[in-house]
């Protein structure tokens, strides 16, 4: 079993591949930790981001940060143990039903729960931006900080309930360190495949694609409205459009950013959904599982890149935080706020 565990997936067949895999995991972990810590510092350290949208981005960053703190380090430890000891630790060759304490009993639900939180948060971000674009007059009354915080709490509770449901509703599902994905995954306990209990895992892709599908549709409606508004601005004189209620340039740009987030997450999540469905129907897809799980994990460091590219205010504040950290000085909010005012003036002068 240890030899099989050490040599199962093609990415880890040789010593060189094993070293490259560990290096990739370590670099990914550092990128996730740095990127999402920076996002939280910008959101909570800048008054401009103390908004419902900012709170949702913070929730998304916390979910991604948890992946970097809990999920990836376990895989790094497991792979380094295999290389150094030349044999797998006992917990790696047993599932959670056969061990008094199994790390995957915690790590598996954390990864699944954080993935579900990310999906629901992107959905909520899309709803928030669609209201700002489609019903700008109702934005302040409908989208409040209190309601947003309640929705964030519900998304976390609901996501982790769904993540633990395979173990709650059946005793045939366990967690184990999978030699193919190099990660903690759901597995059948002492029951041989196939099993009707395995079908409960279909809840994940069903829930995820329902939300992602709805998110894509809402994004299409919002972006179509933005395009129509842009054409109207180009063809009508300013005096003729003064009475027309329209979204602000910031709302339009934020809606496009959320559209980019949705596209990136959908692309990273689709392989894992295909793998889960195939697994339920009896396909192991060992080599594919490694790439599917780690493509999804890589998405945890992508959001800060999207913010940095698409949001100039975020980029400026993040840059100032990094510069101040290098100089061992506390960030100066007034500088960031002054930059925000300058950018706001510039944005109002532009036409979407």
């Amino acid at each position: 079993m240890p030899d099989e565990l050490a040599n199962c997936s093609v990415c880890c067949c040789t010593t060189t591949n094993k070293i490259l895999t560990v290096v990739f995991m370590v670099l990914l972990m550092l990128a996730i930790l740095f990127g999402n810590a920076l996002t939280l510092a910008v959101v909570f350290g800048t008054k401009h981001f103390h908004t419902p949208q900012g709170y949702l981005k913070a929730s998304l960053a916390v979910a991604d940060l948890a992946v970097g703190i809990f999920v990836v380090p376990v895989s790094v430890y497991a792979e380094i143990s295999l290389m150094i000891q030349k044999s797998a630790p006992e917990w790696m060759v047993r599932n959670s039903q056969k061990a008094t304490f199994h790390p995957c009993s915690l790590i598996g639900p954390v990864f699944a729960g954080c993935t579900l939180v990310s999906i629901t948060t992107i959905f909520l971000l899309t709803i928030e931006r669609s209201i700002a674009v489609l019903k700008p007059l109702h934005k302040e009354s409908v989208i409040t900080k209190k309601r947003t915080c309640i929705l964030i709490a519900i998304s976390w509770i609901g996501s982790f309930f769904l993540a633990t449901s395979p173990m709650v509703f059946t005793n045939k599902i366990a967690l184990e360190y999978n030699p193919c994905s190099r990660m903690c995954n759901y597995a059948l306990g002492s029951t041989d495949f196939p099993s009707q209990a395995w079908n409960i895992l279909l809840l994940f892709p069903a829930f995820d694609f329902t939300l992602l599908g709805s998110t894509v549709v809402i994004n299409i409606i919002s972006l179509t409205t933005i395009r129509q508004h842009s054409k109207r601005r180009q063809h009508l004189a300013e005096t003729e459009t003064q009475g027309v209620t329209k979204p602000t340039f910031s709302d339009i740009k934020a809606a496009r950013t959320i559209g980019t987030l949705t596209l990136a997450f959908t692309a990273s999540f689709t392989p894992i959904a295909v793998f889960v469905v195939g697994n339920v129907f009896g396909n192991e897809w060992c080599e594919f599982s490694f790439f599917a799980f780690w493509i999804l994990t890589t998405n945890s460091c992508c959001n800060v890149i999207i913010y940095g590219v698409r949001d100039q205010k975020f980029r400026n504040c993040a840059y100032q935080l990094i510069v101040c950290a290098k100089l061992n000085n506390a960030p100066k909010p007034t500088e960031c706020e002054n930059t925000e005012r300058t950018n706001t003036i510039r944005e109002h002068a532009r036409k979407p």
Side-chain angles (χ1 to χ4, degrees):
M1 178 66 179
D3 292 335
E4 293 177 4
L5 187 64
N7 297 297
C8 182
S9 53
V10 69
C11 67
C12 304
C13 287
T14 66
T15 302
T16 301
N17 285 348
K18 292 175 186 178
I19 293 173
L20 290 176
T21 299
V22 171
V23 170
F24 162 73
M25 291 178 179
V26 171
L27 292 176
L28 178 60
M29 178 180 67
L30 294 176
I32 292 172
L33 294 177
F34 174 77
N36 290 288
L38 181 62
T39 299
L40 291 174
V42 170
V43 170
F44 291 118
T46 309
K47 190 178 294 185
H48 169 79
F49 292 101
H50 294 179
T51 61
Q53 182 187 161
Y55 293 165
L56 287 168
K57 287 181 177 179
S59 175
L60 188 58
V62 171
D64 289 335
L65 195 62
V67 173
I69 293 174
F70 296 104
V71 179
V72 183
V74 169
S75 295
V76 172
Y77 170 75
E79 297 308 308
I80 291 177
S81 296
L82 284 172
M83 285 195 299
I84 294 176
Q85 300 176 7
K86 304 299 182 182
S87 63
E90 186 178 352
W91 66 270
M92 291 178 63
V93 296
R94 296 176 178 268
N95 63 41
S96 59
Q97 291 181 344
K98 299 177 180 178
T100 305
F101 170 77
H102 201 290
C104 289
S105 297
L106 170 66
I107 303 305
V110 165
F111 185 53
C114 288
T115 301
L116 295 171
V117 167
S118 296
I119 293 173
T120 54
T121 304
I122 291 174
F123 175 74
L124 292 174
L125 277 166
T126 303
I127 294 293
E128 188 265 345
R129 284 298 88 193
S130 67
I131 293 174
V133 169
L134 302 175
K135 300 289 183 181
L137 287 178
H138 299 82
K139 181 177 69 172
E140 300 296 333
S141 59
V142 174
I143 307 169
T144 64
K145 293 180 182 179
K146 182 178 179 181
R147 287 176 182 170
T148 302
C149 290
I150 292 172
L151 288 173
I152 289 172
I154 292 173
S155 75
W156 278 83
I157 294 170
S159 295
F160 275 86
F161 174 77
L162 186 59
T164 56
S165 61
M167 285 79 67
V168 172
F169 294 110
T170 177
N171 59 2
K172 296 180 181 180
I173 301 295
L175 285 152
E176 67 177 9
Y177 187 80
N178 191 281
C180 295
S181 66
R182 326 303 280 194
M183 191 175 282
C184 290
N185 295 157
Y186 296 94
L188 287 172
S190 55
T191 308
D192 293 332
F193 197 85
S195 171
Q196 290 299 110
W198 202 231
N199 293 334
I200 196 171
L201 292 185
L202 291 175
L203 281 173
F204 294 147
F207 174 82
D208 296 338
F209 275 115
T210 298
L211 275 190
L212 283 175
S214 302
T215 302
V216 170
V217 170
I218 295 170
N219 270 300
I220 291 173
I221 294 172
S222 298
L223 294 174
T224 301
T225 302
I226 290 171
R227 190 175 297 110
Q228 291 173 349
H229 173 68
S230 299
K231 290 180 179 178
R232 198 159 53 239
R233 286 288 299 270
Q234 291 172 0
H235 290 87
L236 297 178
E238 188 65 30
T239 54
E240 293 178 310
T241 59
Q242 283 179 352
V244 179
T245 302
K246 52 187 179 293
T248 65
F249 181 79
S250 295
D251 289 335
I252 290 173
K253 195 167 185 179
R256 288 170 174 163
T257 300
I258 303 308
T260 305
L261 282 177
T262 303
L263 182 64
F265 191 89
T266 303
S268 65
F269 179 78
T270 300
I272 201 72
V274 172
F275 170 75
V276 170
V277 174
N279 232 217
V280 170
F281 286 99
N283 299 305
E284 187 176 2
W285 289 341
C286 184
E287 290 159 11
F288 174 65
S289 71
F290 176 85
F291 296 103
F293 275 94
W294 286 96
I295 286 172
L296 178 59
T297 306
T298 303
N299 181 262
S300 294
C301 67
C302 290
N303 294 334
V304 67
I305 299 174
I306 294 173
Y307 301 150
V309 172
R310 300 284 310 174
D311 190 338
Q312 188 176 0
K313 292 183 179 124
F314 180 91
R315 185 166 61 248
N316 290 337
C317 292
Y319 174 77
Q320 289 179 15
L321 282 171
I322 294 171
V323 169
C324 290
K326 287 182 179 179
L327 297 175
N328 294 322
N329 292 325
K332 299 178 180 178
T334 53
E335 294 178 5
C336 194
E337 289 169 7
N338 288 335
T339 305
E340 291 167 16
R341 292 191 193 100
T342 303
N343 291 333
T344 302
I345 293 171
R346 290 175 181 170
E347 287 176 359
H348 284 302
R350 297 177 188 171
K351 292 182 180 180

